[in-house]
Amino acid sequence: MESIITSVKNTKVKNWKKLHTRKGRENTNTFLIEGFHIVEEAFLSGWTMKELIIQEGVSLPTWVNDIPVTVVKDTIFTTISQTDAPQGIAAVVSMRELFAIKQSPVLIVDAVQDPGNLGTIIRTADAAGFSEVILGEGTVDAFNHKVIRATQGSLFHIPIRIARLEEEIASLKKAGFEIWVTALEDAFHYTEVKPKLKTGLIVGNEGSGVRTQIMELADKRVTIPIYGKAESLNVSVASGILMYYLRS
């Protein structure tokens, strides 16, 4: 354990703060997580922790073995924290290089921009037993702190990767997948379509839905009926309904 860091000008503190941005995360291939539950989930799921950051006075978790630990003053931890009520524990975690799995079912996300929505979608995909989540162009960074919090640890349970959706969809279809896409028009009521042995589901942007060029690549367009006066369902809610239907 190192001596206590007391200055915001410390190089480590500056580097940790860079991880608040997507550019900083991509440049180092690492990301910052915080909170006892999230940090422990990352550890138990086998993700590589480059460093554990502990606020002075906060007890180390019992599972800490050879992970480097840095202790900081409370003012420093507040500086690097991105939560309203910091718990005094954070970690720098290495990203994983992932490859296509091609096991059914697969979730394909097109330009979902709200971190809370993406995090909830990932958490639901994990709960519904999806094999992987593929993120397309315009989708919020999966390592955004708000996304991580919304996943409640599911980020570490299910493979999540960024890819060109046109190429991924073509590859999945070649592997025998039927591709479903959410749509408001010219679509089947989702219960009218029976899932195939291999299915991929595309969900889209909160306001504009799935882009036309991506929608045209799908085999089936499905919709969820609206019985009240709401214009539409939240994308994470709609995704959850369809994901569980595909598992039925």
Side-chain angles (χ1 to χ4, degrees):
M1 189 178 296
E2 299 183 6
S3 58
I4 298 173
I5 292 179
T6 60
S7 172
V8 294
K9 296 182 180 180
N10 184 282
T11 301
K12 280 195 170 187
V13 177
K14 292 179 180 178
N15 289 336
W16 294 334
K17 291 183 70 175
K18 288 179 182 177
L19 299 182
H20 291 178
T21 68
R22 186 169 193 162
K23 182 179 179 181
R25 294 188 288 269
E26 291 175 347
N27 285 343
T28 60
N29 209 38
T30 61
F31 59 102
L32 190 68
I33 60 174
E34 61 176 298
F36 282 99
H37 172 65
I38 297 295
V39 171
E40 185 172 19
E41 282 296 319
F43 173 79
L44 293 175
S45 300
W47 286 61
T48 300
M49 288 189 184
K50 298 179 72 69
E51 185 174 21
L52 202 62
I53 306 160
I54 298 291
Q55 181 178 314
E56 185 180 23
V58 174
S59 299
L60 276 174
T62 56
W63 45 260
V64 174
N65 295 315
D66 57 353
I67 302 172
V69 177
T70 300
V71 178
V72 301
K73 286 286 188 181
D74 55 353
T75 52
I76 302 301
F77 198 90
T78 300
T79 297
I80 65 168
S81 173
Q82 293 180 281
T83 64
D84 294 330
Q87 296 178 14
I89 181 171
V92 177
V93 183
S94 295
M95 295 180 187
R96 284 181 172 176
E97 185 176 1
L98 299 172
F99 303 94
I101 295 175
K102 290 190 173 64
Q103 293 179 1
S104 185
V106 171
L107 183 66
I108 302 163
V109 181
D110 180 36
V112 168
Q113 297 176 338
D114 181 80
N117 282 337
L118 181 61
T120 302
I121 288 169
I122 291 170
R123 183 179 181 182
T124 307
D126 177 25
F130 270 56
S131 67
E132 63 178 325
V133 179
I134 302 171
L135 307 180
E137 179 183 350
T139 300
V140 63
D141 181 15
F143 299 107
N144 175 295
H145 72 284
K146 292 181 180 179
V147 175
I148 295 173
R149 276 209 306 276
T151 71
Q152 283 296 298
S154 286
L155 176 78
F156 306 112
H157 304 160
I158 182 171
I160 302 164
R161 58 191 178 86
I162 301 169
R164 286 182 55 82
L165 296 192
E166 291 89 344
E167 295 174 2
E168 288 297 321
I169 292 168
S171 179
L172 286 168
K173 293 174 80 169
K174 187 175 181 180
F177 278 71
E178 180 175 74
I179 306 299
W180 290 19
V181 64
T182 55
L184 295 177
E185 299 177 351
D186 300 321
F188 291 100
H189 185 304
Y190 75 96
T191 59
E192 296 175 346
V193 186
K194 298 302 178 185
K196 295 290 182 67
L197 185 62
K198 292 182 177 181
T199 309
L201 171 65
I202 309 172
V203 297
N205 178 268
E206 292 87 347
S208 56
V210 177
R211 287 173 294 156
T212 302
Q213 64 267 37
I214 299 299
M215 187 174 292
E216 290 176 349
L217 299 175
D219 300 300
K220 294 284 192 323
R221 297 187 182 193
V222 295
T223 191
I224 300 171
I226 301 293
Y227 298 111
K229 295 182 180 180
E231 290 185 358
S232 62
L233 284 171
N234 173 276
V235 64
S236 63
V237 173
S239 298
I241 292 170
L242 294 173
M243 280 191 277
Y244 269 89
Y245 177 70
L246 286 176
R247 299 296 290 172
S248 62

